[in-house]
Each structure stands twice: as structure tokens, then as C-alpha cells.
Amino acid sequence: MKQRQLLPLFLFTLLLAMVGCSDNDSNTEVTQSGHLVNTKVNLPEEFKQAKLYDTKISAFEINSRRTTSYDVELQENNLFIAHLKSGLYNLSFEAKAKLDGKERILKGYLENTTINKDTSIEFNVLPLPTERDFVIEEIFYTGSLYPNSKRGYLGDQYFKITNNSDETLYADGLTIAESGFATNMYQDITPNRMTEEFAVQALYAVPGSGKDHPVLPGESIIICDKAINHKEVNPNSFDFSNADFEWFDESSNPKIQDTDNPEVPNLDNIYSYTLTIWILNMQGNRAYAILRMGKDKETFLAENQKEYSFIYDTGDSQINIKRKAYFVPNEWIIDAVNVSTQDEHEWIVTDSSLDASYTYCGNDSNDPNRSGKSVRRKVAYQEADGRKVLQDTNNSKEDFIPTATPSVAE
């Protein structure tokens, strides 16, 4: 965390007089004692000229499980003074601002922050989405390694999908899509439909009639490749015998067969490019999305396959390549994440309104430390009831922790 020189004492005293206090609940301790903590609020570009109001800070001390909460007034350069005793905190900042005549709520969150007499802190605040829904919290695509070996293990890839709203949502029909284009292989596509559609090479949907699979606010579902206890084969892997869903493929190759756990529901296979078993690319060169299908399977397959072309340069000549792919309208998409490698990344394969950048595992495509890692979405802030709200700015570079420890291993 960046350390900043504390403001002169007379300014601390002045700001102290501007801080008001209010109780939140019976577990809230409101106090003016403790350290004067120099605090800065960093605003996103579009809000830098906006005036913030209804600004407040909430501090949950982890060891004592007490919450301190009070209103604050921002001074020049978006500085204010927090009043906190020594301890280990989860800190939340909240404010309101108007953008284009509409009121927006901005929040920032700092987790496991140590406060002492020399501490200064910074909140990077973001506007709340006007609508919240499911988000992709985590993708584990690299696969684990066998102990004391560089040999990779297949079958333990998974998605963690989280209800990021404040109401119960139903996972029925929620569909995982894998991009038809690779993020490490740029193609000058004609026609380029990205502003309107997303090319896919795999679509798998959660079964259900509409309200069979409720997901409470802040809760998640695990969708995995093979819903077995992988630890029995590879101690470095995970136990998915109680996963929420698995994807299962009927392979046309008798030598390549999938494993089915009858106790865990299978996703509905809407479309897959492979006639054997779908696995996520372990290098990480695709984009993934969750969406709600706007058509039934048969209608979609009949109407949404479209032709495109691109120029392939051999070095000696240029060849016009024609292909076909299935495309889903961008308006169906709830959330999208581009995954790539830093050394081979060439383009984003979604419209920038869905995802403006990419996340990754490892320093490069040959990094041996990338195996066993995932990409995980950051926490934006914490609600008063303890529910964590995940960061969602439609920019995977900002929203995700790259090369992260898988959540199911914690």
C-alpha cells in the first residue's frame, strides 16, 4: 500500500471538526478516539469533475468484530481524515455523485488493512452498475500438476459464477460460452460483427424450468469439467464430487470418453465444436461469457450460423479464407471475460462494451508457475450485512486478479 506524508496537524484538527457520527446497528461502535488516518479517494476518469456527497466510511475490525461508521466530508484533492484505533480492518467507502443528470453510487473497499499511527490509505472507488446480475467470479483453466512433476492433470477445470445482485437469482438457463476466435491470433474479419454479436465455439446451459436453481445474493455455483474427487488421483487437485453442475460430452471416439457423476446435474450441450470432449484451452487464449439464450436450441442452431472471411498471409501470398461460426447477440450476454497470455496477446475478441481488456495466468505462455492458478474477480466493497460485492467495470484487466490461488483450494 502506498504511504503518503500525513497532512499538517492543524489541517487534521480542522477536518476532525467536520466529521459527523451515526450508529448503524447494535454492533456499531462510533468513536472519535484512535489514530488520525490520512485518507485519499481516487475517482474514475468520468467522475473526476463530479462533486461527491453523502460520503461515509465504514470500518469492520476483524479481531473484535466491531464496526465503526460515520459520515465524512471530502476536502481538496478528495482527502479526508479517518478516525480509527489500531487493528486489522475491512474498510468501505461510499459516496454519491451525479453523472449526466443521474445519481450514481460509488464505492471502494480495502480488505485486511492494518491501521496504526503511521498508516495512510487510499480508496479506488467505482460506480455501482445500474443493474447487477450474475458475474463470472473465477475461471480455472490452467489445470493442476501432479506432485513433484511437470506433468499436467486434466479434468479439474471449473467456473465459479456468483450472484452479484441483492436479490435471489435463478441459474436455470444460464449459459457458458467460449469464443470462436482466439485472443492470440488476430484476424481481420469481414464482416466484423463484434459491436453486435459474439462468435462462439461452445455453448453449455444450466438445466431447469425457470426456478429450479435459486442462488442467493452473494452466493456462487461451481460448474466443473468432471464432478469427481480429483484428489484421489492427484493430491494437488480438488474435490468436485459435490459441485453444483458438470459439463459432460458424448464422445464419438471410443478412446476418448468423458466421466459422468450421476449425482451432479449435467449442463445441456447446446453446441460444441468438438466431437469428443470439450476442455478449456490450458494456455488461456479465449474469451468466456455467461448469457441467457434468446432462442431455443433448435432455432438458434438453424438461424445463427453465419459466414465470415479473413485474409491469411503465408509470406509469399495472401489467401482469402472463408469460415462459418455461430454468433450470439451481445444483448444476450450478462458478463464476459477475455483471457490471454501477456507475450502472445493480439486482440480482444468481444466488443469493448462487454470487456475492454484481458486477464491472464503467468508471466508468459511458458511460465511453469501458471499451472494450478486461476483468474479471480476482485471484491469492490462489502455491504453492512457482510456480503461482498464483486468488482464489475467490464474491464478484465482492472476487475480480475491474474495468476491467483484457486478459491476452492483455500
Side-chain angles (χ1 to χ4, degrees), residues 191-342:
N192 190 329
R193 301 183 174 93
M194 282 190 186
T195 58
E196 298 177 355
E197 296 177 311
F198 176 55
V200 299
Q201 67 174 14
L203 288 167
Y204 289 79
V206 174
S209 59
K211 291 192 174 181
D212 294 334
H213 305 294
V215 183
L216 298 177
E219 293 195 354
S220 307
I221 57 174
I222 296 291
I223 300 175
C224 67
D225 182 358
K226 293 177 174 58
I228 62 174
N229 185 359
H230 296 275
K231 284 182 168 291
E232 294 177 353
V233 180
N234 176 16
N236 287 341
S237 189
F238 322 112
D239 183 0
F240 284 142
S241 55
N242 293 314
D244 297 286
F245 302 95
E246 67 176 353
W247 64 85
F248 174 78
D249 295 300
E250 296 283 356
S251 173
S252 61
N253 187 335
K255 296 182 179 180
I256 304 175
Q257 293 296 306
D258 211 347
T259 301
D260 186 21
N261 181 350
E263 301 300 318
V264 175
N266 293 334
L267 298 184
D268 294 333
N269 185 337
I270 297 174
Y271 172 73
S272 178
Y273 71 96
T274 178
L275 296 177
T276 57
I277 297 173
W278 177 54
I279 62 173
L280 312 186
N281 183 272
M282 297 178 72
Q283 286 293 314
N285 59 17
R286 299 281 166 173
Y288 296 93
I290 52 174
L291 56 98
R292 294 185 178 92
M293 297 290 291
K295 299 177 181 178
D296 60 66
K297 175 179 177 178
E298 291 72 22
T299 304
F300 173 80
L301 295 177
E303 297 180 349
N304 285 63
Q305 189 179 50
K306 301 178 183 181
E307 190 174 87
Y308 66 93
S309 64
F310 62 95
I311 302 298
Y312 178 71
D313 192 342
T314 66
D316 297 324
S317 61
Q318 292 185 332
I319 303 173
N320 186 28
I321 306 293
K322 291 186 178 181
R323 297 277 173 80
K324 287 184 178 180
Y326 285 99
F327 289 82
V328 298
N330 288 347
E331 62 189 27
W332 294 2
I333 295 175
I334 304 167
D335 188 34
V337 180
N338 281 267
V339 179
S340 196
T341 54
Q342 296 182 89

Side-chain angles (χ1 to χ4, degrees), residues 21-32 56-70 83-85 88-92 382-386:
C21 300
S22 60
D23 285 339
N24 281 347
D25 52 45
S26 58
N27 292 323
T28 299
E29 174 192 1
V30 181
T31 178
Q32 294 284 7
K56 59 186 177 182
I57 186 173
S58 180
F60 174 74
E61 208 287 312
I62 295 172
N63 297 314
S64 66
R65 305 195 66 79
R66 301 287 291 180
T67 299
T68 302
S69 180
Y70 47 83
H83 305 268
L84 299 168
K85 296 180 179 180
L88 182 64
Y89 288 86
N90 292 337
L91 300 165
S92 295
Q382 190 171 25
E383 295 284 15
D385 61 4

Side-chain angles (χ1 to χ4, degrees), residues 176-190:
I176 293 175
E178 182 178 64
S179 67
F181 301 131
T183 55
N184 66 340
M185 188 181 299
Y186 176 75
Q187 297 173 352
D188 189 6
I189 302 162
T190 303

Side-chain angles (χ1 to χ4, degrees), residues 79-124:
L79 294 168
F80 70 91
I81 304 302
H83 305 268
L84 299 168
K85 296 180 179 180
S86 296
L88 182 64
Y89 288 86
N90 292 337
L91 300 165
S92 295
F93 173 84
E94 180 176 335
K96 295 178 181 178
K98 287 191 175 180
L99 185 67
D100 298 328
K102 297 181 179 179
E103 185 176 78
R104 300 290 300 275
I105 298 175
L106 299 96
K107 288 195 175 186
Y109 180 67
L110 293 173
E111 194 169 28
N112 295 321
T113 301
T114 299
I115 298 296
N116 55 45
K117 64 183 180 64
D118 298 319
T119 302
S120 61
I121 58 178
E122 293 188 15
F123 285 101
N124 295 317

